[in-house]
Amino acid sequence: SLKISEVMWNHIEPIRCGTPLTKVVKALLDNHVTGLPVVDEKRQVLGFVSEQDCIHSLLVSNYHSEGEPIVDDVMFHKPLTVSPEMSVIDLAQNLGAGKPKVYPVVDHGKLVGIVTRTAILSQLAK
């Protein structure tokens, strides 16, 4: 059975903690993804930031003008991660309403890529 490592993307740089939100938004838009993992200098996943987090935060900061938010202020702190060895079918069966659209792929505590619902869908459709 097909593994996550075969469908994950590893060409997109994760977001480093401390990154200003404007740069996060640019990364999401440039890479056409709905969210990205947030990592420390050792590529350990600290959190996950989504388009929705950015929209909410930018609305609030534009309204209150309290200086520029950074990713640490808005990221989700305990994101669901998957292993590169996990089967695509297993993950596909766990996807549903209210579940993430993008999963960080973690191997031995380090981020190795991301897997998106789109990637899973395109595999299942083959």
Side-chain angles (χ1 to χ4, degrees), residues 46-117:
L46 303 175
F48 191 86
V49 63
S50 71
E51 286 175 324
Q52 191 56 51
D53 298 328
C54 293
I55 288 168
H56 179 73
S57 179
L58 291 171
L59 281 172
V60 170
S61 68
N62 287 343
Y63 184 72
H64 295 294
S65 59
E66 292 169 357
E68 189 177 15
I70 60 168
V71 72
D72 309 52
D73 301 331
V74 304
M75 70 184 185
F76 180 72
H77 282 274
K78 293 215 182 322
L80 290 169
T81 62
V82 295
S83 153
E85 295 302 303
M86 185 180 192
S87 98
V88 170
I89 301 295
D90 286 348
L91 181 55
Q93 287 171 337
N94 285 316
L95 294 177
K99 291 289 175 71
K101 294 180 179 69
V102 181
Y103 289 84
V105 183
V106 174
D107 193 21
H108 297 96
K110 299 255 195 304
L111 182 75
V112 293
I114 60 172
V115 64
T116 65
R117 282 189 189 190

Coordinates of all heavy atoms in Angstrom, one line a residue, residues 46-117:
L46 N 6.6 22.9 16.2 CA 6.1 23.6 17.4 C 4.6 23.9 17.2 O 3.9 24.0 18.2 CB 6.8 24.9 17.6 CG 8.3 24.8 17.7 CD1 8.9 26.2 17.7 CD2 8.7 24.1 18.9
G47 N 4.1 24.0 16.0 CA 2.7 24.4 15.8 C 2.4 24.3 14.3 O 3.2 23.8 13.5
F48 N 1.2 24.8 14.0 CA 0.7 24.9 12.6 C 0.0 26.2 12.4 O -0.8 26.6 13.3 CB -0.2 23.7 12.4 CG -0.5 23.5 10.9 CD1 0.3 22.7 10.1 CD2 -1.7 24.0 10.4 CE1 0.0 22.6 8.8 CE2 -2.0 23.9 9.1 CZ -1.1 23.2 8.2
V49 N 0.1 26.8 11.3 CA -0.6 28.1 11.0 C -1.4 27.9 9.8 O -0.9 27.4 8.7 CB 0.4 29.3 11.0 CG1 1.4 29.1 9.9 CG2 -0.4 30.6 10.9
S50 N -2.6 28.3 9.8 CA -3.5 28.2 8.7 C -3.9 29.5 8.1 O -3.8 30.6 8.8 CB -4.8 27.4 9.1 OG -5.6 28.3 9.9
E51 N -4.5 29.5 6.9 CA -5.1 30.8 6.3 C -6.0 31.4 7.3 O -6.1 32.6 7.5 CB -5.8 30.4 5.1 CG -4.9 30.1 3.9 CD -5.8 29.7 2.7 OE1 -6.8 29.0 2.9 OE2 -5.4 30.0 1.6
Q52 N -6.9 30.5 7.9 CA -7.9 31.0 8.8 C -7.3 31.8 10.0 O -7.8 32.8 10.4 CB -8.8 29.9 9.3 CG -10.1 30.3 10.0 CD -10.9 31.3 9.2 OE1 -11.3 31.0 8.0 NE2 -11.3 32.4 9.8
D53 N -6.2 31.2 10.6 CA -5.5 31.8 11.7 C -5.0 33.2 11.3 O -5.2 34.2 12.0 CB -4.3 31.0 12.1 CG -4.6 29.6 12.7 OD1 -5.7 29.5 13.2 OD2 -3.8 28.7 12.5
C54 N -4.5 33.3 10.1 CA -4.0 34.6 9.6 C -5.1 35.6 9.3 O -4.9 36.8 9.7 CB -3.2 34.3 8.3 SG -1.7 33.4 8.5
I55 N -6.2 35.2 8.7 CA -7.3 36.1 8.5 C -7.8 36.7 9.8 O -7.9 37.9 9.9 CB -8.4 35.3 7.8 CG1 -8.1 35.0 6.3 CG2 -9.7 36.1 7.8 CD1 -9.0 34.0 5.6
H56 N -8.0 35.8 10.8 CA -8.5 36.2 12.1 C -7.6 37.2 12.7 O -8.0 38.3 13.2 CB -8.7 35.0 13.0 CG -9.2 35.4 14.3 ND1 -10.5 35.9 14.5 CD2 -8.6 35.5 15.5 CE1 -10.7 36.2 15.8 NE2 -9.5 35.9 16.4
S57 N -6.3 36.9 12.7 CA -5.3 37.7 13.4 C -5.1 39.1 12.7 O -5.0 40.1 13.3 CB -4.0 37.0 13.4 OG -3.0 37.9 14.0
L58 N -5.1 39.1 11.3 CA -5.0 40.3 10.6 C -6.2 41.2 10.8 O -6.1 42.4 10.9 CB -4.7 40.1 9.1 CG -3.4 39.4 8.8 CD1 -3.3 39.0 7.4 CD2 -2.2 40.4 9.2
L59 N -7.4 40.6 10.9 CA -8.6 41.4 11.2 C -8.5 42.1 12.5 O -8.7 43.3 12.7 CB -9.8 40.5 11.2 CG -10.4 40.1 9.8 CD1 -11.5 39.1 10.0 CD2 -10.9 41.3 9.1
V60 N -8.0 41.3 13.5 CA -7.9 41.9 14.9 C -6.8 42.9 14.9 O -7.0 44.0 15.5 CB -7.6 40.7 15.9 CG1 -7.3 41.3 17.2 CG2 -8.8 39.8 16.0
S61 N -5.6 42.6 14.3 CA -4.5 43.6 14.5 C -4.8 44.9 13.7 O -4.4 45.9 14.1 CB -3.2 42.9 14.1 OG -3.2 42.6 12.7
N62 N -5.5 44.7 12.5 CA -5.8 45.9 11.8 C -6.8 46.8 12.5 O -6.8 48.0 12.5 CB -6.4 45.6 10.4 CG -5.4 45.0 9.5 OD1 -4.2 45.2 9.7 ND2 -5.8 44.4 8.4
Y63 N -7.7 46.1 13.3 CA -8.7 46.9 14.0 C -8.1 47.5 15.3 O -8.4 48.7 15.6 CB -9.8 45.9 14.4 CG -11.0 46.5 15.1 CD1 -11.9 47.4 14.4 CD2 -11.2 46.4 16.5 CE1 -12.9 48.0 15.1 CE2 -12.2 47.0 17.1 CZ -13.1 47.8 16.4 OH -14.2 48.4 17.1
H64 N -7.2 46.8 16.0 CA -6.7 47.3 17.2 C -5.3 48.0 17.0 O -4.8 48.6 17.9 CB -6.5 46.2 18.2 CG -7.8 45.6 18.7 ND1 -8.8 46.3 19.4 CD2 -8.4 44.4 18.5 CE1 -9.8 45.6 19.6 NE2 -9.6 44.4 19.1
S65 N -4.7 47.8 15.8 CA -3.4 48.3 15.5 C -2.4 48.2 16.7 O -1.9 49.2 17.2 CB -3.4 49.7 15.0 OG -4.0 50.6 15.9
E66 N -2.1 46.9 17.1 CA -1.2 46.7 18.2 C 0.1 46.2 17.7 O 0.8 45.3 18.3 CB -1.8 45.6 19.1 CG -3.0 46.1 19.9 CD -3.8 45.0 20.6 OE1 -3.4 43.8 20.4 OE2 -4.8 45.3 21.2
G67 N 0.6 46.7 16.6 CA 1.9 46.2 16.1 C 1.7 44.9 15.3 O 0.6 44.3 15.4
E68 N 2.7 44.5 14.6 CA 2.6 43.3 13.8 C 2.7 42.0 14.6 O 3.6 41.8 15.3 CB 3.7 43.3 12.7 CG 3.4 42.2 11.7 CD 4.4 42.2 10.5 OE1 5.5 42.8 10.6 OE2 4.1 41.5 9.5
P69 N 1.6 41.2 14.4 CA 1.7 39.9 15.1 C 2.8 38.9 14.5 O 3.1 39.1 13.3 CB 0.3 39.3 14.8 CG -0.3 40.1 13.7 CD 0.5 41.3 13.6
I70 N 3.2 38.0 15.3 CA 4.2 37.0 14.8 C 3.4 35.6 14.8 O 2.4 35.5 15.5 CB 5.5 36.9 15.5 CG1 5.3 36.6 17.0 CG2 6.3 38.2 15.4 CD1 6.5 36.2 17.8
V71 N 4.0 34.7 14.1 CA 3.3 33.4 13.9 C 3.0 32.7 15.3 O 2.0 32.1 15.4 CB 4.1 32.5 12.9 CG1 5.4 32.0 13.6 CG2 3.2 31.3 12.5
D72 N 4.0 32.9 16.2 CA 3.8 32.3 17.5 C 2.5 32.7 18.2 O 1.9 31.9 19.0 CB 5.0 32.6 18.5 CG 6.3 32.3 17.8 OD1 6.5 32.8 16.7 OD2 7.2 31.6 18.4
D73 N 2.1 33.9 17.9 CA 0.8 34.4 18.6 C -0.4 33.8 18.0 O -1.5 33.8 18.7 CB 0.7 36.0 18.3 CG 1.9 36.7 18.9 OD1 2.5 36.3 19.8 OD2 2.2 37.8 18.3
V74 N -0.4 33.3 16.8 CA -1.6 32.8 16.2 C -1.6 31.3 15.9 O -2.7 30.8 15.6 CB -1.9 33.6 14.9 CG1 -2.0 35.1 15.2 CG2 -0.9 33.3 13.8
M75 N -0.5 30.7 15.9 CA -0.4 29.2 15.5 C -1.2 28.3 16.5 O -1.3 28.7 17.6 CB 1.0 28.8 15.3 CG 1.8 28.6 16.6 SD 3.5 28.2 16.3 CE 4.1 27.9 18.0
F76 N -1.6 27.2 15.9 CA -2.2 26.1 16.7 C -1.1 25.3 17.3 O -0.1 24.9 16.6 CB -3.1 25.3 15.8 CG -3.8 24.2 16.4 CD1 -4.8 24.4 17.3 CD2 -3.4 22.9 16.2 CE1 -5.5 23.4 17.9 CE2 -4.0 21.8 16.9 CZ -5.1 22.1 17.7
H77 N -1.1 25.1 18.6 CA 0.1 24.6 19.3 C 0.3 23.1 19.3 O 1.4 22.6 19.5 CB 0.2 25.1 20.7 CG 0.7 26.5 20.7 ND1 2.1 26.8 20.7 CD2 0.1 27.7 20.7 CE1 2.2 28.1 20.8 NE2 1.0 28.7 20.8
K78 N -0.7 22.3 19.1 CA -0.5 20.8 19.1 C -1.1 20.2 17.9 O -2.1 19.5 17.9 CB -1.2 20.2 20.4 CG -0.5 20.6 21.7 CD -0.5 19.5 22.7 CE 0.1 19.8 24.0 NZ 1.2 20.7 24.1
P79 N -0.4 20.5 16.7 CA -1.0 20.0 15.5 C -0.9 18.4 15.4 O 0.0 17.8 16.0 CB -0.1 20.6 14.4 CG 1.2 20.8 15.1 CD 0.9 21.1 16.5
L80 N -1.8 17.9 14.6 CA -1.8 16.4 14.3 C -0.7 16.3 13.3 O -0.6 17.0 12.3 CB -3.1 16.0 13.7 CG -4.3 15.9 14.7 CD1 -5.6 15.7 13.9 CD2 -4.1 14.8 15.7
T81 N 0.2 15.3 13.6 CA 1.3 15.0 12.6 C 1.1 13.5 12.2 O 0.4 12.7 12.8 CB 2.7 15.2 13.2 OG1 2.8 14.3 14.3 CG2 2.9 16.6 13.7
V82 N 1.7 13.2 11.0 CA 1.7 11.8 10.5 C 3.1 11.4 10.3 O 4.0 12.2 10.1 CB 0.8 11.7 9.3 CG1 -0.6 12.0 9.6 CG2 1.3 12.6 8.1
S83 N 3.3 10.0 10.2 CA 4.6 9.4 9.9 C 4.7 9.2 8.4 O 3.7 8.9 7.7 CB 4.7 8.1 10.7 OG 5.5 7.2 10.0
P84 N 5.9 9.3 7.9 CA 6.1 9.0 6.5 C 5.8 7.6 6.1 O 5.5 7.2 5.0 CB 7.6 9.3 6.2 CG 8.3 9.4 7.5 CD 7.2 9.7 8.5
E85 N 5.8 6.7 7.1 CA 5.5 5.3 6.9 C 4.0 4.9 6.9 O 3.6 3.9 6.5 CB 6.2 4.4 8.0 CG 7.7 4.5 8.0 CD 8.2 4.0 6.6 OE1 7.9 2.9 6.2 OE2 8.9 4.8 6.0
M86 N 3.2 5.9 7.4 CA 1.7 5.7 7.4 C 1.2 5.4 6.0 O 1.7 6.0 5.1 CB 1.1 6.9 8.0 CG -0.4 6.7 8.3 SD -1.1 8.2 9.0 CE -2.7 7.6 9.5
S87 N 0.2 4.6 5.9 CA -0.4 4.3 4.6 C -1.4 5.5 4.2 O -2.1 6.0 5.1 CB -1.1 3.0 4.5 OG -2.5 3.1 4.7
V88 N -1.4 5.8 3.0 CA -2.2 6.9 2.4 C -3.7 6.5 2.7 O -4.5 7.4 3.1 CB -2.0 7.1 0.9 CG1 -3.1 8.0 0.3 CG2 -0.6 7.7 0.7
I89 N -4.1 5.3 2.6 CA -5.4 4.8 2.8 C -5.8 5.1 4.3 O -6.9 5.6 4.5 CB -5.6 3.3 2.5 CG1 -5.2 3.0 1.0 CG2 -7.0 2.8 2.8 CD1 -6.1 3.6 0.0
D90 N -4.9 4.7 5.2 CA -5.3 5.0 6.7 C -5.5 6.5 6.9 O -6.5 6.8 7.6 CB -4.1 4.5 7.6 CG -4.1 3.0 7.7 OD1 -5.0 2.3 7.3 OD2 -3.0 2.5 8.2
L91 N -4.7 7.3 6.4 CA -4.9 8.8 6.6 C -6.2 9.2 5.9 O -7.0 9.9 6.5 CB -3.7 9.6 6.0 CG -3.9 11.1 6.3 CD1 -4.1 11.5 7.7 CD2 -2.7 11.8 5.7
A92 N -6.4 8.7 4.7 CA -7.7 9.1 3.9 C -8.9 8.7 4.7 O -9.9 9.5 4.7 CB -7.7 8.4 2.6
Q93 N -8.9 7.6 5.4 CA -10.0 7.1 6.2 C -10.3 8.0 7.4 O -11.4 8.1 7.9 CB -9.9 5.7 6.6 CG -10.1 4.7 5.4 CD -9.7 3.3 5.7 OE1 -9.0 3.0 6.6 NE2 -10.3 2.4 4.9
N94 N -9.2 8.7 7.9 CA -9.3 9.6 9.0 C -9.7 11.0 8.7 O -9.9 11.8 9.6 CB -8.0 9.6 9.8 CG -7.9 8.3 10.6 OD1 -8.8 7.8 11.2 ND2 -6.7 7.7 10.5
L95 N -9.7 11.3 7.4 CA -10.0 12.7 7.0 C -11.5 12.9 7.1 O -12.3 12.0 6.8 CB -9.6 13.0 5.6 CG -8.1 13.0 5.3 CD1 -7.8 13.2 3.8 CD2 -7.4 14.1 6.1
G96 N -11.9 14.0 7.6 CA -13.3 14.3 7.7 C -13.6 15.8 8.0 O -12.6 16.5 8.1
A97 N -14.8 16.1 8.3 CA -15.1 17.5 8.6 C -14.4 17.8 9.9 O -14.3 17.0 10.8 CB -16.6 17.6 8.8
G98 N -13.9 19.0 9.9 CA -13.2 19.5 11.1 C -11.8 19.0 11.3 O -11.1 19.3 12.2
K99 N -11.3 18.2 10.3 CA -9.9 17.7 10.4 C -9.1 18.6 9.5 O -9.5 19.3 8.6 CB -9.9 16.2 9.8 CG -10.5 15.2 10.7 CD -9.7 15.0 12.0 CE -10.4 14.1 13.0 NZ -10.4 12.7 12.5
P100 N -7.8 18.6 9.8 CA -6.9 19.5 9.0 C -6.9 19.1 7.5 O -7.1 18.0 7.2 CB -5.5 19.2 9.6 CG -5.7 18.5 11.0 CD -7.0 17.8 10.9
K101 N -6.5 20.1 6.7 CA -6.4 19.9 5.3 C -4.9 19.6 4.9 O -4.6 19.1 3.9 CB -6.9 21.1 4.5 CG -8.4 21.4 4.7 CD -8.8 22.6 3.9 CE -10.3 22.9 4.0 NZ -10.7 23.3 5.3
V102 N -4.0 19.9 5.8 CA -2.6 19.7 5.7 C -2.0 19.1 6.9 O -2.4 19.6 8.0 CB -1.9 21.1 5.4 CG1 -0.4 20.8 5.2 CG2 -2.5 21.8 4.2
Y103 N -1.2 18.1 6.7 CA -0.6 17.4 7.9 C 0.9 17.5 7.8 O 1.5 17.2 6.8 CB -0.9 15.9 8.0 CG -2.4 15.7 8.3 CD1 -3.4 15.7 7.4 CD2 -2.7 15.4 9.7 CE1 -4.7 15.4 7.7 CE2 -4.0 15.1 10.0 CZ -5.0 15.1 9.0 OH -6.3 14.9 9.4
P104 N 1.6 18.0 8.9 CA 3.0 17.9 8.9 C 3.5 16.4 9.0 O 2.8 15.6 9.7 CB 3.4 18.6 10.2 CG 2.2 19.4 10.7 CD 1.0 18.6 10.1
V105 N 4.5 16.0 8.2 CA 5.0 14.7 8.2 C 6.3 14.7 9.0 O 7.2 15.4 8.7 CB 5.3 14.2 6.8 CG1 5.8 12.7 6.8 CG2 4.0 14.3 5.9
V106 N 6.3 13.9 10.1 CA 7.4 14.0 11.1 C 8.0 12.6 11.2 O 7.4 11.6 11.4 CB 6.9 14.4 12.5 CG1 7.9 14.3 13.5 CG2 6.3 15.9 12.4
D107 N 9.4 12.6 11.1 CA 10.2 11.4 11.3 C 11.2 11.6 12.3 O 12.0 12.5 12.2 CB 10.8 11.0 9.9 CG 11.4 9.6 9.9 OD1 11.0 8.8 10.7 OD2 12.3 9.4 9.0
H108 N 11.2 10.8 13.4 CA 12.2 10.9 14.5 C 12.2 12.3 15.0 O 13.3 12.9 15.3 CB 13.6 10.5 14.1 CG 13.6 9.0 13.7 ND1 13.6 8.6 12.4 CD2 13.8 7.9 14.5 CE1 13.6 7.3 12.4 NE2 13.7 6.8 13.6
G109 N 11.0 12.9 15.2 CA 10.9 14.2 15.8 C 11.2 15.4 14.9 O 11.1 16.6 15.3
K110 N 11.5 15.1 13.7 CA 11.9 16.2 12.7 C 10.9 16.3 11.6 O 10.5 15.3 11.1 CB 13.3 16.0 12.1 CG 14.4 15.9 13.1 CD 15.2 17.2 13.1 CE 16.6 17.1 13.8 NZ 16.5 16.7 15.2
L111 N 10.6 17.5 11.2 CA 9.7 17.7 10.0 C 10.4 17.2 8.7 O 11.5 17.7 8.5 CB 9.3 19.2 9.9 CG 8.4 19.5 8.7 CD1 6.9 19.0 9.1 CD2 8.4 21.0 8.4
V112 N 9.8 16.4 8.0 CA 10.3 15.9 6.7 C 9.5 16.4 5.5 O 9.9 16.2 4.3 CB 10.6 14.4 6.6 CG1 11.7 14.0 7.6 CG2 9.3 13.6 6.9
G113 N 8.3 16.9 5.7 CA 7.4 17.3 4.6 C 6.0 17.6 5.1 O 5.8 17.6 6.3
I114 N 5.1 17.8 4.1 CA 3.7 18.0 4.5 C 2.9 17.1 3.5 O 3.4 16.8 2.4 CB 3.2 19.5 4.4 CG1 3.4 20.0 2.9 CG2 3.9 20.3 5.4 CD1 2.8 21.4 2.7
V115 N 1.7 16.7 3.9 CA 0.9 16.0 3.0 C -0.5 16.7 3.1 O -1.0 17.1 4.1 CB 0.7 14.5 3.4 CG1 0.1 14.3 4.7 CG2 -0.1 13.8 2.3
T116 N -1.1 16.9 1.9 CA -2.3 17.7 1.7 C -3.4 16.8 1.3 O -3.2 15.7 0.7 CB -2.2 18.8 0.7 OG1 -2.0 18.2 -0.6 CG2 -1.0 19.7 0.9
R117 N -4.6 17.2 1.6 CA -5.8 16.5 1.1 C -5.8 16.3 -0.4 O -6.2 15.3 -0.9 CB -7.1 17.2 1.5 CG -7.5 17.0 2.9 CD -8.9 17.6 3.1 NE -9.2 17.6 4.6 CZ -10.4 17.9 5.1 NH1 -11.4 18.2 4.3 NH2 -10.5 17.9 6.4

